[in-house]
Every structure is written in C-alpha cells, then in structure tokens.
Amino acid sequence: MTLNKTLIAQRFAKAGQSYTEQAIIQKQISQHLCQLMQASCSEHLPHILEIGCGSGNLTQQVAANFHVEKWYLNDLYPQVQSHFQSNLPIQWMIGDIETLTLPQHLDAIVSSSAVQWMMDLPELLLRCHDALKAQGWLCFSTFGPDNLTEIKQLTGQGLHYWSINDWRQQLEQLGFDVIWLEQQHLSMQFETPKAVLKHLKATGVTGASVQQQRWTKRSLTEFYQRYQQFQLENQQYSLTYHPIYCIARRNA
C-alpha cells in the first residue's frame, strides 16, 4: 500500500486537539513502553531522537523518568510544537523521517505508535542502527496485523503490519539485540458504529486506515449495518488495537 504522507500529516494536524482527548489507547501504550524502558535502560540517556512525537505522550513519560540533555523531536507537521513546553531542550526535526538526515551518536531512538506509517521500514531501521552509539537503545511501540481488524474486514483498507516474529527477524538481521518483545490485544467499546468512525477521525487514524475509502450516504449506511457483526453481548461495538512493544540495543 502506497502511503500519502501529505494526507497523513493533514489528518493528524486536523485532529491535533481531539487526539489528546481521544487517543486513550495510544496514551496507555506510551505509558507501558516507558515502563519497559525503565526496566532495561540506563536512567541517563543524554541524546534522544523521538520519531513521530505527536502530542507528546511518550515525550512526557520519558522526560519524567530519564535524564535527557537534548531531545531531537520529529513529526510530519509543525503544529505538534504547540503541545510542548519551551523549557525542554528540544531540537525540532519537522518532516518525513524517511527523508531527513538523522543526528548521530544517539543514546536512544524512541517512538510510540508511529513507525507503522513508514514506506521502507528496513531502510529506516538500518539508518537508526547507524545513528546510535554502540550499545545505544531502540525502544518503540507499533501495531501488529490484527490492528483495527474490524475496519479492514469491512473496507478492505488498512496498513500492512509486521508480525512480532517479523520484527525479531528484521532487527536481529540489522545488528540489534532484542532485549524485550511483546504484544497485546486491546479492545475499545463504542455505543454505535458511527462512534467508531468518529473516534478514528478524532485520532487522525483515517489518514491511512480508510484514506482510500470514499464515503457516501449509502456506503456509510452499509458500513454501519455490516458493523453489527462486531456488536458485543453488552450491546457495545468493539474496535481492536494490536500493539507490539520492543526494547532493542545496538550490539556493536
């Protein structure tokens, strides 16, 4: 699937404030990723690059628990800067991380709920390996094949996700020691199928998950009717998230 990075940036920028309120799962994922980092990494990580910092969920977690002297914060659109305090030692890297020059000799590269948007993951991971110091940390969360499975089943649209085994194989091939790798299946519940779509729009996820879907009154009605198959016993409607967490270390 070809990703329209301009459209993705526009959708996330438009969802800016609502993302902070609606991205409940993404906030939980950032918290868990930081807890995994605390269990493995040194508290002293002077130079960190964060890919896809968004509204700062992970940034805030890491800043509260690690000693960071310089943050390189990346995202596609400049509006993200409004979410961050001016007292953080930030150097902004606005743009597509796949085309930007990465800073070198980094102690850690972190990312939460972002790397699934990449067109060439192996190439980005290779560049991350080269940008890290020896024994530098690569800590991230992303999503697995069951992510938003209800939407993909109904629309045929969605990202291509690596499995947890794909991640292990790719990272080890590139010269990383995989310290921790785990996955979860998390479910959100909504009162109506319409509320599901509103949630996705409010978090910017429609930038790719349904970016090629052309909604009409008829297609929306059909979508709502077909979503009935995902109704639970409590009359709520499910939406699945499939986060994968990784703590890896450059081995040379």
Side-chain angles (χ1 to χ4, degrees), residues 36 40-41 125 129 132 135-140 162-183 244-252:
L36 295 175
S40 297
C41 303
L125 291 173
H129 180 276
L132 286 166
Q135 302 299 304
W137 296 94
L138 177 65
C139 307
F140 64 89
W162 285 0
S163 71
I164 196 167
N165 291 329
D166 293 332
W167 277 108
R168 182 179 297 279
Q169 180 181 8
Q170 291 282 342
L171 289 165
E172 289 178 347
Q173 284 179 354
L174 290 169
F176 286 98
D177 290 326
V178 178
I179 308 300
W180 189 265
L181 194 60
E182 71 167 278
Q183 60 187 340
I244 292 174
Y245 304 88
C246 180
I247 306 294
R249 200 170 195 183
R250 176 176 166 164
N251 60 19

Coordinates of all heavy atoms in Angstrom, one line a residue, residues 36 40-41 125 129 132 135-140 162-183 244-252:
L36 N 8.6 -0.3 30.2 CA 9.6 -1.3 29.7 C 11.0 -0.7 29.6 O 12.0 -1.4 29.9 CB 9.1 -1.9 28.4 CG 7.8 -2.7 28.4 CD1 7.4 -3.0 26.9 CD2 8.0 -3.9 29.2
S40 N 14.8 -1.8 31.6 CA 16.0 -2.2 30.8 C 17.1 -1.1 30.7 O 18.3 -1.4 30.7 CB 15.6 -2.7 29.4 OG 14.7 -3.8 29.5
C41 N 16.7 0.1 30.4 CA 17.6 1.1 30.0 C 18.2 1.9 31.2 O 17.6 2.0 32.3 CB 17.0 2.1 29.1 SG 16.2 1.4 27.7
L125 N 15.3 1.3 9.8 CA 15.9 0.7 10.9 C 17.4 0.6 10.7 O 18.2 0.7 11.7 CB 15.3 -0.8 11.0 CG 13.9 -0.9 11.5 CD1 13.4 -2.3 11.4 CD2 13.7 -0.3 12.9
H129 N 20.1 2.2 13.3 CA 21.3 1.5 13.8 C 22.5 2.3 13.6 O 23.4 2.4 14.6 CB 21.4 0.1 13.0 CG 22.5 -0.7 13.5 ND1 23.8 -0.5 13.0 CD2 22.6 -1.7 14.4 CE1 24.6 -1.4 13.6 NE2 23.9 -2.2 14.4
L132 N 22.8 5.3 16.1 CA 23.0 5.1 17.5 C 24.5 4.8 17.9 O 25.3 4.3 17.1 CB 22.2 3.8 17.9 CG 20.7 4.0 18.0 CD1 20.0 2.6 18.1 CD2 20.3 4.8 19.2
Q135 N 25.9 0.1 21.7 CA 25.0 -0.2 22.9 C 23.9 0.8 23.1 O 23.3 0.9 24.1 CB 25.9 -0.3 24.2 CG 27.0 -1.4 24.1 CD 26.4 -2.8 23.9 OE1 25.6 -3.2 24.6 NE2 26.9 -3.4 22.8
G136 N 23.6 1.6 22.0 CA 22.5 2.5 22.1 C 21.2 1.8 22.0 O 21.1 0.7 21.5
W137 N 20.1 2.4 22.5 CA 18.8 1.8 22.6 C 17.9 2.2 21.5 O 17.8 3.4 21.1 CB 18.2 2.2 24.0 CG 19.0 1.7 25.1 CD1 19.9 2.3 25.9 CD2 18.9 0.3 25.7 NE1 20.4 1.5 26.8 CE2 19.8 0.3 26.8 CE3 18.1 -0.8 25.4 CZ2 19.9 -0.8 27.6 CZ3 18.2 -1.9 26.2 CH2 19.2 -1.9 27.3
L138 N 17.1 1.2 21.0 CA 16.0 1.4 20.1 C 14.7 0.9 20.8 O 14.6 -0.3 21.0 CB 16.2 0.7 18.8 CG 15.0 0.8 17.8 CD1 14.9 2.3 17.3 CD2 15.3 -0.1 16.6
C139 N 13.9 1.8 21.2 CA 12.7 1.5 22.0 C 11.4 2.0 21.4 O 11.3 3.2 21.2 CB 12.8 2.1 23.4 SG 14.4 1.7 24.3
F140 N 10.5 1.1 21.0 CA 9.4 1.6 20.3 C 8.2 0.7 20.5 O 8.3 -0.4 20.9 CB 9.7 1.7 18.8 CG 10.0 0.4 18.1 CD1 9.0 -0.4 17.6 CD2 11.3 -0.1 18.0 CE1 9.2 -1.6 17.0 CE2 11.5 -1.3 17.4 CZ 10.5 -2.1 16.9
W162 N 3.8 -5.6 10.2 CA 4.7 -6.7 10.5 C 4.2 -7.5 11.7 O 3.6 -6.9 12.7 CB 6.1 -6.3 10.8 CG 6.9 -5.8 9.6 CD1 6.4 -5.8 8.3 CD2 8.2 -5.3 9.6 NE1 7.4 -5.3 7.5 CE2 8.5 -5.0 8.3 CE3 9.2 -5.1 10.6 CZ2 9.8 -4.5 7.9 CZ3 10.4 -4.6 10.2 CH2 10.7 -4.3 8.9
S163 N 4.4 -8.8 11.8 CA 4.1 -9.6 12.9 C 5.2 -9.4 13.9 O 6.3 -8.9 13.6 CB 4.0 -11.1 12.6 OG 5.2 -11.6 12.2
I164 N 5.0 -9.9 15.1 CA 6.1 -9.8 16.2 C 7.3 -10.6 15.7 O 8.5 -10.2 16.0 CB 5.5 -10.3 17.5 CG1 6.4 -9.9 18.7 CG2 5.2 -11.8 17.6 CD1 5.8 -10.0 20.1
N165 N 7.1 -11.8 15.0 CA 8.2 -12.5 14.5 C 9.0 -11.8 13.4 O 10.2 -11.9 13.3 CB 7.8 -13.9 14.0 CG 7.3 -14.8 15.2 OD1 7.8 -14.7 16.3 ND2 6.3 -15.7 14.9
D166 N 8.2 -11.1 12.6 CA 8.9 -10.3 11.5 C 9.8 -9.2 12.2 O 11.0 -9.0 11.7 CB 7.8 -9.5 10.7 CG 7.0 -10.4 9.9 OD1 7.4 -11.5 9.5 OD2 5.8 -10.0 9.6
W167 N 9.4 -8.6 13.3 CA 10.2 -7.6 13.9 C 11.5 -8.2 14.5 O 12.6 -7.7 14.3 CB 9.4 -7.0 15.1 CG 8.5 -5.8 14.6 CD1 7.1 -5.8 14.5 CD2 8.9 -4.6 14.1 NE1 6.7 -4.6 13.9 CE2 7.8 -3.8 13.7 CE3 10.2 -4.0 14.0 CZ2 7.9 -2.5 13.2 CZ3 10.3 -2.7 13.5 CH2 9.1 -2.0 13.1
R168 N 11.3 -9.4 15.1 CA 12.5 -10.0 15.7 C 13.5 -10.3 14.6 O 14.7 -10.0 14.7 CB 12.1 -11.3 16.5 CG 13.3 -12.0 17.1 CD 12.9 -13.2 17.9 NE 12.1 -12.9 19.0 CZ 12.5 -12.5 20.2 NH1 13.8 -12.3 20.4 NH2 11.6 -12.2 21.1
Q169 N 13.1 -10.9 13.5 CA 14.0 -11.3 12.4 C 14.6 -10.1 11.8 O 15.9 -10.1 11.6 CB 13.2 -12.0 11.4 CG 14.0 -12.5 10.2 CD 13.1 -13.2 9.1 OE1 11.9 -13.3 9.2 NE2 13.8 -13.8 8.1
Q170 N 13.9 -9.0 11.5 CA 14.5 -7.8 10.9 C 15.5 -7.2 11.8 O 16.6 -6.8 11.3 CB 13.3 -6.9 10.6 CG 12.4 -7.3 9.5 CD 13.0 -7.1 8.1 OE1 14.0 -6.4 7.9 NE2 12.4 -7.8 7.1
L171 N 15.2 -7.0 13.1 CA 16.1 -6.3 14.0 C 17.4 -7.1 14.2 O 18.5 -6.5 14.2 CB 15.4 -6.1 15.3 CG 14.3 -5.0 15.3 CD1 13.4 -5.1 16.6 CD2 14.8 -3.6 15.2
E172 N 17.2 -8.4 14.3 CA 18.5 -9.2 14.5 C 19.3 -9.2 13.3 O 20.6 -9.2 13.4 CB 18.1 -10.7 14.9 CG 17.5 -10.7 16.4 CD 17.1 -12.1 16.8 OE1 17.0 -13.0 15.9 OE2 16.8 -12.3 18.0
Q173 N 18.7 -9.2 12.1 CA 19.5 -9.2 10.9 C 20.3 -7.9 10.8 O 21.4 -7.8 10.2 CB 18.6 -9.3 9.6 CG 18.1 -10.7 9.4 CD 17.1 -10.8 8.2 OE1 16.8 -9.8 7.6 NE2 16.8 -12.0 7.8
L174 N 19.7 -6.8 11.3 CA 20.4 -5.5 11.2 C 21.4 -5.2 12.3 O 22.0 -4.2 12.3 CB 19.3 -4.4 11.2 CG 18.4 -4.3 10.0 CD1 17.2 -3.4 10.2 CD2 19.2 -3.8 8.8
G175 N 21.6 -6.1 13.2 CA 22.6 -6.0 14.2 C 22.1 -5.4 15.6 O 22.8 -4.8 16.3
F176 N 20.8 -5.7 15.9 CA 20.3 -5.3 17.2 C 20.1 -6.6 18.0 O 19.8 -7.7 17.6 CB 18.9 -4.7 17.0 CG 18.9 -3.3 16.5 CD1 18.7 -3.0 15.2 CD2 19.1 -2.2 17.3 CE1 18.7 -1.8 14.6 CE2 19.1 -0.9 16.9 CZ 18.9 -0.7 15.5
D177 N 20.4 -6.4 19.3 CA 20.0 -7.4 20.3 C 18.6 -7.1 20.8 O 18.4 -6.0 21.3 CB 21.0 -7.4 21.5 CG 22.3 -7.9 21.2 OD1 22.4 -8.8 20.3 OD2 23.3 -7.4 21.7
V178 N 17.7 -8.0 20.6 CA 16.3 -7.8 21.0 C 16.2 -8.2 22.5 O 16.3 -9.3 22.9 CB 15.3 -8.6 20.2 CG1 13.9 -8.4 20.7 CG2 15.4 -8.2 18.7
I179 N 16.0 -7.2 23.4 CA 16.0 -7.4 24.8 C 14.6 -7.8 25.3 O 14.4 -8.6 26.1 CB 16.5 -6.1 25.6 CG1 17.8 -5.6 25.0 CG2 16.5 -6.3 27.1 CD1 18.9 -6.6 25.2
W180 N 13.6 -7.1 24.7 CA 12.2 -7.4 25.1 C 11.3 -7.2 23.9 O 11.4 -6.2 23.1 CB 11.8 -6.4 26.2 CG 10.5 -6.8 26.8 CD1 9.2 -6.3 26.5 CD2 10.2 -7.8 27.8 NE1 8.2 -6.8 27.2 CE2 8.8 -7.7 28.1 CE3 11.0 -8.6 28.6 CZ2 8.2 -8.6 29.0 CZ3 10.4 -9.4 29.5 CH2 9.0 -9.4 29.8
L181 N 10.4 -8.1 23.7 CA 9.5 -8.0 22.6 C 8.2 -8.6 23.0 O 8.1 -9.8 23.5 CB 10.0 -8.8 21.3 CG 9.4 -8.5 20.0 CD1 9.4 -7.1 19.6 CD2 10.0 -9.4 18.9
E182 N 7.1 -7.9 23.0 CA 5.8 -8.4 23.4 C 4.7 -7.8 22.6 O 4.8 -6.7 22.0 CB 5.6 -8.2 24.9 CG 5.3 -6.7 25.3 CD 4.8 -6.6 26.7 OE1 3.6 -6.8 26.9 OE2 5.6 -6.2 27.6
Q183 N 3.5 -8.4 22.7 CA 2.3 -7.8 22.0 C 1.1 -7.9 22.9 O 1.1 -8.7 23.9 CB 2.1 -8.6 20.7 CG 1.8 -10.1 20.8 CD 1.7 -10.8 19.5 OE1 1.5 -10.2 18.5 NE2 1.9 -12.1 19.5
I244 N 2.5 -3.7 19.5 CA 3.7 -4.5 19.7 C 4.8 -3.6 20.3 O 4.9 -2.4 19.9 CB 4.2 -5.1 18.4 CG1 3.3 -6.1 17.8 CG2 5.7 -5.6 18.5 CD1 3.6 -6.6 16.4
Y245 N 5.5 -4.1 21.3 CA 6.5 -3.3 22.1 C 7.9 -3.9 21.9 O 8.0 -5.2 21.9 CB 6.2 -3.3 23.6 CG 4.8 -2.8 23.9 CD1 3.7 -3.6 24.0 CD2 4.6 -1.4 24.2 CE1 2.4 -3.2 24.3 CE2 3.3 -1.0 24.6 CZ 2.3 -1.8 24.6 OH 1.0 -1.4 24.9
C246 N 8.9 -3.1 21.7 CA 10.2 -3.6 21.5 C 11.2 -2.8 22.2 O 11.2 -1.5 22.2 CB 10.6 -3.6 20.0 SG 12.2 -4.3 19.7
I247 N 12.1 -3.4 23.0 CA 13.3 -2.8 23.5 C 14.5 -3.5 22.9 O 14.7 -4.7 23.1 CB 13.4 -2.9 25.1 CG1 12.1 -2.4 25.7 CG2 14.6 -2.2 25.6 CD1 11.8 -0.9 25.6
A248 N 15.3 -2.8 22.1 CA 16.4 -3.4 21.4 C 17.7 -2.6 21.6 O 17.6 -1.4 22.0 CB 16.1 -3.6 19.9
R249 N 18.8 -3.2 21.4 CA 20.1 -2.5 21.7 C 21.0 -2.8 20.5 O 21.2 -3.9 20.1 CB 20.7 -2.9 23.0 CG 21.7 -2.0 23.6 CD 22.0 -2.4 25.0 NE 22.7 -1.3 25.7 CZ 23.2 -1.3 26.9 NH1 23.1 -2.4 27.6 NH2 23.8 -0.3 27.4
R250 N 21.7 -1.7 20.0 CA 22.7 -1.9 19.0 C 23.8 -2.7 19.6 O 24.4 -2.4 20.7 CB 23.2 -0.6 18.5 CG 24.4 -0.7 17.6 CD 24.8 0.7 17.0 NE 26.1 0.5 16.3 CZ 26.6 1.4 15.5 NH1 25.9 2.5 15.2 NH2 27.8 1.2 14.9
N251 N 24.2 -3.8 18.9 CA 25.1 -4.8 19.6 C 26.6 -4.5 19.2 O 27.5 -5.3 19.6 CB 24.8 -6.2 19.2 CG 24.8 -6.5 17.7 OD1 25.4 -5.8 16.9 ND2 24.1 -7.5 17.3
A252 N 26.9 -3.5 18.5 CA 28.3 -3.1 18.2 C 28.4 -1.6 17.8 O 27.4 -1.0 17.4 CB 28.8 -4.0 17.1

